[in-house]
Structures are given as structure tokens and as C-alpha cells.
């Protein structure tokens, strides 16, 4: 029996159609990974394609690992020559070889978001830009958007003439890129941007990779942004054997720059493309799928497809409306306890999904009381913990001395009596001579302003020199152990003798485990490769499947996962869909929220629970919200209700509401008066204003509506907010 006999007819069509552009629209749970791996096997076995001529791109390391494992099992000998990796990993491999053509050293460092933030903070200080008015995260977001759209600092500067805020960001963007290059570092957006730049300026390199990758497959194509589309289309230009797999109904990362039109307009880019729809679902029951189809059908911007399954009908979807979030969390936790005990279901088969991270707190409290094990996905990333970043910075400095941020992080860790003033003096010396911070450290005896502190700085210099010498003969794990012993990092934590210090030591032990695990799988263990692997780890890759915990996560984190039992909570207008999307004049905003709901529903395999609260505390205020419009979009016959549907509180003042009658309020409403449009506003776009709760901010936009002005403000403390002028009572500063 052939391995292809296990595929259904449309899966076979997707596997056997190997030439030219192909769009595979793969619905949730339709076996797209199976199709991709069998397609690779078919190319090699039946079409005699060389394994090294195949490139398969995924979005997460976890997905790449799973695909690599399956490809190895199917193909066997020669499969190691197939490139199966993420966008970022693919670009890193190319840049490690050729980035010197762009004026960088091939041993470049990859900066994470913390590193970016530190560098931008430093630049703002140098440019005398107030980070209260221009928060680092806001600047990072703007620069990331620019890079996603392949906009250089010079182009950004040209585009923002007359816009005060953007002209300041242009200044920062320009200096930021200059400093990154001086540090021989790239941020994550640069990995793609610089690879495209490399191809644009070096046709010979592009041609080399076009010849290398004659068959290209891209998973999760609906999540690609402009620069990713450009990268893939450039590689595929010569042979045009580009197969993209995705589901427009699961495009939920617009906030990260994903462009749904990459998949919706694929046939415009490639008029001769073959479109194949995978609509048979192998994951969920009929009732769950019918609910998902009913909800997503309300979107306009989508390819027409309907999921179906041969699975059983399954239980009805349960919907419960509770008085408040505490009652909601308490009832859900009790139901989970009941499922686990009475049905003998492992906790790891159960997931609670929500729209925002803040919703996890009330569930955590209930789980602790009930002594039920749980795990929150999307909390603090292991690699973002202080002790881990400290020790990785040591490794970075040993590997790449041009990384100023890493040097500054560890120069006084553990404490060496090298204070902030000494660091500033070293920085001034480095800037004055146009050398790296570490080079300045090595010339500390020449920095007269350091005085006695020069001795301490030279002690740090000697430490780095010793560790660099030892790197030549040591494995990364041996070098790591040497760092711990030479610096006394562990001894300092042991001296603290606190629970927090013990936890940090456990984290350091886990990092050593990671390094040893890397060495066991690497052909030639290399410090640069180890740092690269660490830098490319995604949050969701941290989900351990062998622990028996109830999983709590946001809907965005849940994409790509599945659970037998799913609780989707907070199903209220204003919570999900969010208030900002409800008031937005852009209809695509609510469509993105609906796709998020579709993703949530289709995570469930056997049983789905939906819930809402009549009253919920948000930003310190009680809000009364009606049931989510997405509940209304599910056919009544698919729902099992705790009250008849006509009694469910869909409107703010239904007969089921408790206490005094109330009005549906937006999060920024401070009284119950109906908004009346002011004759004019004292402020305009670009002005700095103050809000009684959110503090100072800059007006980004003013839209004149029917009854009021809708004002968009970038607040220093809490980011971008949209609000009605009469409610906001903004004052010009």
C-alpha cells in the first residue's frame, strides 16, 4: 500500500500538483501538515527532485520541528538536505554567509525586544527626546511597521514631512539603525529586511538561492507580512514553483503586521495559480464545526469554503451567562474538576481561552483554592528572565564584542563597583573615538576621567579576555560553567538564601540543560549557533505537552493547538469583540475579531463551553455588557443554554439583569449623559492633551461623527486610545 493511499481526494490533488504556483486553502484541522510532508516525499520519490532543491517555511520553531520529524520519517535518507525552518531561521542562515556584503560582520548578534528597548532608551536620551511623550514600545512598534513594509529610515523621513511625532520617530529610527550596525546587531525585523536588501543589491546571491530552492512551500501563508511576501516571491521568481498553504479565516495577526491580502490576492499575483480547498476536518465534532462555519460566514473578506467532517455529531455547545467574572471563573473551575474526576480526563486535555491576558487572574485564584494544576501560556518568556539574560549576555560578549548593550548589561553583574557614572564616561570615550564600548573598556587606563574606577574596569577586561581564550578549547556548556565559577554568579545568589534566589538558580540550571541538549543534537557545537537558536525561540514553543495541567492562554496564543475540552470565556460585546473594534469605523477590525472567535471555536475537539458575565470589572470600573454578537451568530439548535434564548441578557436592560437598571457603557464613559457634539474642539491633530485618568498624550486623529467627535490619542502611560470628545473631556496642554 502506498503512503498516498491514506490521503483523501483533495489532499492527493494538493500533493500531486507540483508544478507552478499553488494555493492550498486548508481549513482548521484539515491535515495541512500531512499534505505538506507527503508533498515533499512525492517530489523526491516520484518527481526525482533533489532534497536540497526544496525549501519549506513555517512560522514557529515548534511547527518546523514537527514538520522536520515527519519529513525525516517519510523520506528517510537524504531528508537532512531539505531546508525546513522558520522565516527568521532561513534568513539567518543566508545572512550568516553573506551579510558581509552589506557591511556587517558574519558573527552578528540578534537583539530581542528588551535589547531593542534598551537601545532606543539610550538613543532618546542622546537625542534629548522625552520617553514619556514618546514611549519606547510605541517607537519600537512604529519602526517594526516600517520594516514590515520595507521602508528605510530615509524613506520614512521623507514620508513624515509635516508630522511632528513621526519626524521625531524618523530621527530615532535613523540613529537606531546606525547604532545596530555599529553593534554588529540585527533585530528580528532586520533578519527579513536585510535578506531582501541582500537579494536586491546582489543579484548573483539571489540567483544562487533561486537555483537552490526550485520548489518552495510556505505554511500559514495568511500570517505573512509585506517583507515576507517579498522574500518568498523573489526566491520563487525563476522557477515559479511556489506552493502556499493557509486559511484566510485564521488570519489573526494584523497587529503584528500580517497582511490578509497576501492570501486573498494570491491569484492576482499569480493568475495561473491552481487553488485547492481542504475542507474535510479531522479534529472536531459536527456541532462544533457547524457553529464555526455559521460565525465565520458573516465575514465579507474571505474565500468561500465550508468545513465538514465524518466525525460524530457530538454534544451541543454549552453557553452560560453568569452575574460576574468571579461567578464565571468559579463555575468553570468546578466544571473542570467534575470532568477530570467523573470522566477520568487528564487536566492537559482541557484549555481555557480568553481575549486578554488580564482575564487569567480570577481563574488562577480559583485553581489555587481547588488545588488544580494549571499552566499559563504567554507569561514571562524563560529567556526574558533577568538571570538568563545576564548569562546569555556573557556568552554574547565572548562571541561578539561589538554588542555594546550586552557589555553594558554585565559590566557590573555581579557587582564590581563599576557604577552608572563610570559607564557613561566609558560611553563618552567610545563615541569620541568612534569605537565600540568594549574596545573602550579595553583602553580603560587611557580614560583619565575614570580615575580609580579604571582598575575595576580593567579587571572586567581581564575576565573577558580569559573567557575568550577558553572559548577556543571549550564546548559551550563548559564555557557556561566556567562563566558561573569565574564570575561567582551562583555564589552571589546562594548568599541571598531566598526563595526567589533559589528559583533563579533553578532557571540557570535549566539554561545549562538547554545548552547540553543543543550540544547533543548539533553536528559541530558552536557558540554562535547556540545563541542564534536561543534568539529564535518563540513563546508558544514553550508549551510542554507532557505535564498534566489545565492550560490557560489567549486566543492568539492558541492558534495551531487543539484540546478535547475548551472553555471560551468573556463572550461579551466590549470584551470579545473588543470595544475598540466595535467603535472602529474600519469594518475589517470586527472581521479580524470574528476570525479570532473562529480560531477559538475550532480548537475544540469534543466539547465546547462558551460563557459571558453580565457585569465585569475593567480598569477599576464595573461594566455591564451585552452578550457577544458572536453568540447570536451561532444557530440556536447548536446551543445548550442555562436559560431560554429569549431570557438571555442580550440587551443592557433585559428582565434577567440584577440590581438597578443599567446602561451599556464604553470603558471610558464617566457619566451616563448622552454625548452631544461640541461646536468645536480646543485642540487639533498633533496637539498634546491631558485626560483625567490616562494623563498626557498626543492627538493622532480626530474623526467627526454624527453625534460627537471620535478622538484617537497616543497616551504616554497606556498607549493608543479612541474616545468620544464629550466623554473624554480632554484639555490642551
Amino acid at each position: 500500500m502506498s503512503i498516498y493511499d491514506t490521503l483523501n481526494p483533495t489532499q492527493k490533488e494538493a500533493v500531486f500538483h507540483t508544478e507552478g504556483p499553488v494555493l492550498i486553502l486548508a481549513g482548521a484541522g484539515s491535515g495541512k501538515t500531512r499534505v505538506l510532508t507527503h508533498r515533499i516525499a512525492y517530489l523526491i520519490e516520484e518527481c526525482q527532485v533533489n532534497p536540497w532543491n526544496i525549501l519549506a517555511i513555517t512560522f514557529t520553531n515548534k511547527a518546523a520541528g514537527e514538520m522536520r520529524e515527519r519529513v525525516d520519517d517519510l523520506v528517510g535518507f537524504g531528508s537532512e538536505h531539505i531546508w525546513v525552518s522558520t522565516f527568521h531561521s532561513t534568513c539567518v542562515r543566508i545572512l550568516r554567509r553573506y551579510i558581509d556584503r552589506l557591511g556587517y560582520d558574519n558573527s552578528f548578534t540578534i537583539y530581542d525586544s528588551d535589547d531593542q528597548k534598551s537601545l532606543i532608551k539610550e538613543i532618546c536620551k542622546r537625542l534629548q527626546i522625552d520617553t514619556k511623550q514618546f514611549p519606547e514600545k510605541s517607537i519600537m512598534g512604529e519602526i517594526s511597521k516600517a520594516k514590515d513594509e520595507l521602508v528605510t529610515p530615509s524613506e520614512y523621513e521623507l514620508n513624515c514631512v509635516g508630522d511632528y511625532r513621526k519626524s521625531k520617530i524618523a530621527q530615532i529610527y535613523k540613529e537606531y539603525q546606525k547604532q545596530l550596525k555599529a553593534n554588529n546587531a540585527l533585530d528580528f525585523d532586520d533578519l527579513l529586511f536585510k535578506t531582501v536588501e541582500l537579494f536586491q543589491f546582489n543579484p548573483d546571491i539571489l540567483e544562487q538561492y533561486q537555483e537552490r530552492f526550485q520548489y518552495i512551500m510556505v505554511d500559514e501563508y495568511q500570517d505573512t507580512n509585506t517583507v515576507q511576501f517579498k522574500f518568498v516571491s523573489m526566491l520563487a521568481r525563476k522557477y515559479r514553483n511556489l506552493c502556499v498553504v493557509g486559511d484566510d479565516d485564521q488570519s489573526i495577526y494584523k497587529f503584528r503586521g500580517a497582511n490578509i491580502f497576501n492570501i486573498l490576492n494570491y491569484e492576482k499575483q499569480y493568475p495561473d495559480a491552481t487553488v485547492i480547498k481542504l475542507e474535510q476536518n479531522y479534529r472536531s465534532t459536527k456541532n462544533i464545526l457547524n457553529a464555526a462555519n455559521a460565525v465565520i460566514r458573516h465575514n465579507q473578506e474571505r474565500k468561500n469554503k465550508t468545513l465538514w467532517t465524518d466525525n460524530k455529531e457530538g454534544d451541543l455547545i454549552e453557553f452560560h451567562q453568569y452575574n460576574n467574572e468571579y461567578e464565571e471563573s468559579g463555575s468553570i473551575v468546578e466544571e473542570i474538576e467534575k470532568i477530570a474526576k467523573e470522566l477520568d480526563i487528564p487536566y492537559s486535555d482541557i484549555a481555557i481561552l480568553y481575549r486578554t491576558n488580564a482575564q487569567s487572574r480570577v481563574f488562577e485564584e480559583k485553581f489555587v483554592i481547588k488545588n488544580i494544576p494549571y499552566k499559563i501560556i504567554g507569561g514571562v518568556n524563560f529567556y526574558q528572565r533577568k538571570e538568563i539574560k545576564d548569562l546569555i549576555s556573557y556568552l554574547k560578549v565572548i562571541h561578539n564584542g561589538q554588542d555594546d548593550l550586552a557589555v553594558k548589561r554585565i559590566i557590573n553583574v555581579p557587582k564590581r563597583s563599576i557604577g552608572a557614572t563610570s559607564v557613561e564616561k566609558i560611553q563618552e570615550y567610545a563615541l569620541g573615538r568612534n569605537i565600540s564600548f568594549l574596545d573602550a573598556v579595553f583602553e580603560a587606563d587611557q580614560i583619565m576621567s575614570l580615575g580609580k574606577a579604571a582598575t575595576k574596569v580593567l579587571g572586567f577586561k581581564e575576565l573577558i579576555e580569559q573567557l575568550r581564550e577558553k572559548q577556543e578549547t571549550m564546548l559551550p556548556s563548559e564555557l557556561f560553567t566556567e562563566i558561573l565559577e569565574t564570575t561567582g554568579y551562583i555564589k552571589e545568589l546562594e548568599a541571598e538564601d531566598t526563595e526567589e534566589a533559589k528559583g533563579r538558580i533553578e532557571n540557570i540550571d535549566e539554561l545549562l540543560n538547554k545548552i547540553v541538549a543543543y550540544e547533543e543534537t548539533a553536528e559541530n557545537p558552536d557558540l554562535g549557533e547556540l545563541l542564534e537558536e536561543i534568539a529564535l525561540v518563540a513563546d508558544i514553543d514553550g508549551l510542554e505537552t507532557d505535564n498534566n495541567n489545565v492550560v490557560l492562554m489567549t486566543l492568539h496564543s492558541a492558534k495551531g493547538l487543539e484540546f478535547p475540552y475548551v472553555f471560551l470565556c468573556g463572550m461579551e460585546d466590549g470584551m470579545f469583540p473588543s470595544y475598540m473594534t466595535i467603535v472602529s469605523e474600519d469594518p475589517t477590525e470586527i472581521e479580524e475579531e470574528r476570525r479570532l472567535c473562529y480560531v477559538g471555536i475550532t480548537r475544540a475537539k469534543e466539547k465546547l463551553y462558551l460563557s459571558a458575565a453580565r457585569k465585569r470589572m475593567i480598569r477599576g470600573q464595573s461594566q455591564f455588557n451585552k452578550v457577544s454578537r458572536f453568540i447570536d451568530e451561532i444557530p440556536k439548535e447548536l446551543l445548550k443554554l442555562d436559560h431560554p434564548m429569549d431570557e438571555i441578557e442580550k440587551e443592557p436592560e433585559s428582565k434577567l439583569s440584577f440590581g438597578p437598571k443599567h446602561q451599556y457603557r464604553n470603558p471610558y464613559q464617566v457619566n451616563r449623559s448622552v454625548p452631544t457634539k461640541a461646536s468645536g474642539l480646543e485642540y487639533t491633530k498633533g496637539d498634546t492633551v491631558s485626560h483625567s485618568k490616562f494623563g498626557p498624550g498626543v492627538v493622532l486623529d480626530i474623526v467627526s461623527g454624527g453625534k460627537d467627535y471620535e478622538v484617537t490619542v497616543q497616551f504616554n502611560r497606556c498607549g493608543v486610545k479612541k474616545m468620544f470628545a464629550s466623554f473624554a473631556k480632554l484639555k490642551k496642554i
Side-chain angles (χ1 to χ4, degrees):
M1 179 175 141
S2 165
I3 59 169
Y4 310 109
D5 291 342
T6 58
L7 304 171
N8 68 39
T10 49
Q11 286 177 334
K12 282 182 183 176
E13 185 186 355
V15 167
F16 299 156
H17 194 101
T18 59
E19 304 305 306
V22 179
L23 169 61
I24 301 174
L25 291 171
S30 62
K32 65 182 175 66
T33 307
R34 184 180 181 79
V35 166
L36 281 172
T37 51
H38 279 70
R39 195 172 193 273
I40 291 169
Y42 184 79
L43 282 167
I44 295 169
E45 291 175 358
E46 305 297 328
C47 303
Q48 308 304 308
V49 174
N50 292 318
W52 51 86
N53 291 141
I54 299 171
L55 170 65
I57 301 178
T58 65
F59 266 80
T60 67
N61 294 316
K62 183 171 182 283
E66 286 174 1
M67 189 180 291
R68 162 61 66 195
E69 206 173 299
R70 292 207 210 177
V71 166
D72 289 347
D73 288 344
L74 279 176
V75 175
F77 181 75
S79 65
E80 69 276 7
H81 297 296
I82 304 164
W83 273 30
V84 181
S85 62
T86 63
F87 271 104
H88 292 108
S89 296
T90 302
C91 290
V92 165
R93 286 180 76 173
I94 295 168
L95 292 172
R96 282 282 177 227
R97 192 169 177 187
Y98 289 114
I99 199 170
D100 56 317
R101 296 274 194 104
L102 297 177
Y104 289 78
D105 189 276
N106 294 77
S107 62
F108 59 84
T109 296
I110 301 169
Y111 275 8
D112 63 17
S113 56
D114 275 1
D115 296 328
Q116 286 179 267
K117 189 176 177 183
S118 299
L119 182 55
I120 284 172
K121 191 172 186 177
E122 195 177 282
I123 288 166
C124 286
K125 187 177 179 183
R126 204 182 304 154
L127 297 176
Q128 297 183 317
I129 293 172
D130 185 0
T131 51
K132 287 182 180 177
Q133 191 175 354
F134 293 88
E136 294 95 329
K137 281 194 175 180
S138 171
I139 296 165
M140 285 162 63
E142 198 66 36
I143 291 173
S144 181
K145 269 190 226 168
K147 289 182 181 181
D148 282 351
E149 296 299 321
L150 287 167
V151 176
T152 65
S154 302
E155 289 168 333
Y156 189 92
E157 194 173 27
L158 284 172
N159 294 339
C160 67
V161 176
D163 188 320
Y164 173 76
R165 180 175 171 273
K166 288 202 171 183
S167 64
K168 284 291 180 188
I169 292 172
Q171 243 184 305
I172 298 164
Y173 183 15
K174 198 171 187 176
E175 189 60 30
Y176 173 69
Q177 287 307 115
K178 183 181 171 185
Q179 195 59 53
L180 276 176
K181 193 165 187 180
N183 290 1
N184 196 37
L186 304 178
D187 62 24
F188 269 82
D189 298 311
D190 278 331
L191 295 177
L192 279 142
F193 193 110
K194 293 298 175 186
T195 307
V196 169
E197 206 172 75
L198 180 71
F199 288 164
Q200 287 172 332
F201 297 142
N202 300 275
D204 58 319
I205 296 175
L206 173 59
E207 188 177 1
Q208 178 189 324
Y209 282 102
Q210 286 175 337
E211 200 59 44
R212 171 76 190 264
F213 301 126
Q214 297 178 19
Y215 291 85
I216 301 170
M217 277 160 272
V218 184
D219 194 10
E220 304 288 4
Y221 191 67
Q222 76 281 350
D223 295 333
T224 54
N225 57 29
T226 301
V227 68
Q228 286 163 337
F229 166 77
K230 182 73 173 175
F231 169 68
V232 168
S233 59
M234 287 176 86
L235 277 179
R237 193 181 296 152
K238 184 171 184 179
Y239 287 96
R240 302 185 77 256
N241 296 322
L242 175 62
C243 172
V244 301
V245 184
D247 182 5
D248 49 302
D249 290 334
Q250 294 186 72
S251 179
I252 58 172
Y253 295 124
K254 184 180 178 183
F255 68 98
R256 288 186 193 166
N259 184 354
I260 192 174
F261 292 102
N262 285 348
I263 192 167
L264 291 179
N265 295 339
Y266 187 78
E267 294 135 286
K268 289 182 181 176
Q269 295 291 333
Y270 300 96
D272 57 333
T274 300
V275 180
I276 300 164
K277 296 179 184 179
L278 302 182
E279 296 173 295
Q280 183 174 359
N281 176 285
Y282 293 91
R283 177 190 298 159
S284 307
T285 64
K286 284 187 173 73
N287 283 332
I288 291 170
L289 282 190
N290 289 338
N293 286 329
V295 170
I296 201 64
R297 210 171 279 133
H298 286 77
N299 273 5
Q300 300 298 311
E301 287 183 348
R302 66 184 294 262
K303 301 276 189 181
N304 185 37
K305 57 186 174 301
T306 303
L307 292 182
W308 62 275
T309 184
D310 282 335
N311 293 343
K312 62 184 179 182
E313 204 79 28
D315 294 336
L316 292 175
I317 296 161
E318 292 195 24
F319 173 71
H320 301 274
Q321 188 179 29
Y322 301 100
N323 285 332
N324 54 52
E325 68 266 38
Y326 297 100
E327 191 179 297
E328 179 186 41
S329 60
S331 296
I332 287 174
V333 171
E334 281 178 13
E335 181 67 17
I336 288 171
E337 186 179 43
K338 182 180 168 187
I339 291 169
K341 287 180 179 175
E342 293 182 9
L343 302 179
D344 195 27
I345 299 295
Y347 287 125
S348 54
D349 279 359
I350 305 168
I352 298 176
L353 309 181
Y354 35 75
R355 180 64 182 82
T356 64
N357 274 309
Q359 290 170 260
S360 70
R361 182 185 60 82
V362 287
F363 288 101
E364 288 185 76
E365 291 170 0
K366 303 294 183 184
F367 280 128
V368 169
I369 293 168
K370 289 280 188 181
N371 199 27
I372 293 174
Y374 68 92
K375 180 176 176 66
I376 296 179
I377 305 301
V380 178
N381 185 305
F382 175 78
Y383 294 104
Q384 299 302 319
R385 299 170 197 269
K386 180 189 181 300
E387 60 278 10
I388 302 303
K389 284 192 73 69
D390 286 346
L391 292 166
I392 288 174
S393 290
Y394 267 102
L395 295 173
K396 282 181 176 180
V397 171
I398 293 165
H399 177 64
N400 171 23
Q402 291 173 266
D403 189 346
D404 287 2
L405 279 184
V407 181
K408 288 175 192 172
R409 184 180 183 95
I410 61 169
I411 194 169
N412 197 40
V413 175
K415 288 187 173 30
R416 299 185 179 90
S417 302
I418 303 173
T421 306
S422 296
V423 170
E424 279 184 26
K425 287 173 181 175
I426 298 168
Q427 180 66 54
E428 284 171 16
Y429 181 87
L431 289 171
R433 282 156 182 76
N434 197 26
I435 59 176
S436 74
F437 186 85
L438 188 64
D439 286 340
V441 165
F442 275 45
E443 297 176 15
D445 54 351
Q446 304 295 315
I447 307 174
M448 307 315 296
S449 59
L450 277 177
K452 291 180 181 178
T455 308
K456 302 289 184 185
V457 176
L458 288 171
F460 173 69
K461 165 208 164 186
E462 286 167 14
L463 170 69
I464 298 302
E465 281 181 327
Q466 288 169 20
L467 291 170
R468 280 186 166 176
E469 282 176 22
K470 290 177 179 179
Q471 178 203 358
E472 301 300 322
T473 56
M474 286 182 168
L475 286 168
S477 59
E478 294 169 333
L479 179 65
F480 183 76
T481 306
E482 184 68 23
I483 291 168
L484 295 177
E485 290 177 5
T486 311
T487 62
Y489 199 101
I490 294 280
K491 285 179 184 173
E492 188 173 82
L493 287 172
E494 285 172 341
E496 282 184 31
D497 196 28
T498 62
E499 285 303 314
E500 184 185 355
K502 287 174 187 173
R504 288 185 171 181
I505 292 169
E506 287 171 3
N507 288 336
I508 292 168
D509 291 341
E510 184 57 33
L511 179 56
L512 180 57
N513 292 342
K514 159 69 187 172
I515 295 170
V516 171
Y518 156 75
E519 289 173 353
E520 287 173 351
T521 56
E523 279 185 38
N524 297 297
D526 173 74
L527 180 57
E529 189 179 62
L530 168 68
L531 290 169
E532 180 183 301
E533 189 173 298
I534 286 171
L536 294 172
V537 170
D539 280 5
I540 197 65
D541 294 343
L543 177 58
E544 298 169 7
T545 54
D546 54 348
N547 289 340
N548 191 26
N549 304 309
V550 177
V551 176
L552 285 77
M553 65 173 80
T554 64
L555 286 153
H556 283 102
S557 296
K559 188 166 168 292
L561 303 175
E562 58 182 45
F563 301 90
Y565 293 81
V566 169
F567 291 82
L568 185 44
C569 59
M571 298 294 292
E572 305 125 37
D573 269 7
M575 179 62 69
F576 188 37
S578 70
Y579 169 74
M580 298 303 281
T581 57
I582 292 172
V583 299
S584 173
E585 293 182 2
D586 182 358
T588 65
E589 295 288 333
I590 201 76
E591 293 212 352
E592 176 111 347
E593 290 283 288
R594 188 174 283 109
R595 290 194 291 271
L596 198 53
C597 181
Y598 174 83
V599 166
I601 292 171
T602 54
R603 297 313 92 196
K605 294 168 73 175
E606 297 173 23
K607 181 89 177 181
L608 176 64
Y609 298 81
L610 304 172
S611 61
R614 295 183 182 88
K615 180 176 76 168
R616 188 179 295 274
M617 184 75 75
I618 299 176
R619 302 178 186 90
Q621 296 180 350
S622 290
Q623 286 185 34
F624 299 87
N625 296 337
K626 61 183 180 181
V627 170
S628 171
R629 62 196 65 197
F630 301 146
I631 298 294
D632 284 344
E633 292 170 1
I634 298 174
K636 314 284 186 295
E637 61 271 17
L638 299 177
L639 293 171
K640 179 183 176 184
L641 308 168
D642 49 3
H643 296 289
M645 200 62 181
D646 59 353
E647 289 184 8
I648 293 292
E649 187 184 349
K650 290 191 275 185
E651 297 303 326
E653 297 186 4
S654 81
K655 58 186 177 181
L656 271 192
S657 61
F658 61 96
K661 294 209 169 186
H662 51 266
Q663 210 174 14
Y664 172 63
R665 299 193 296 137
N666 73 57
Y668 312 105
Q669 187 173 329
V670 292
N671 59 48
R672 300 193 179 196
S673 62
V674 178
T676 54
K677 191 167 183 177
S679 56
L681 299 173
E682 65 172 15
Y683 49 84
T684 185
K685 189 176 174 182
D687 284 346
T688 301
V689 293
S690 178
H691 185 274
S692 59
K693 181 178 175 183
F694 303 130
V698 177
V699 178
L700 301 182
D701 197 17
I702 299 174
V703 177
S704 177
K707 294 183 178 179
D708 202 356
Y709 292 100
E710 184 183 274
V711 186
T712 305
V713 182
Q714 169 81 51
F715 287 105
N716 297 343
R717 291 204 310 263
C718 51
V720 177
K721 304 284 183 190
K722 282 186 181 180
M723 55 194 74
F724 291 118
S726 56
F727 284 146
K729 295 183 170 58
L730 297 168
K731 293 181 180 176
K732 184 176 177 180
I733 298 176

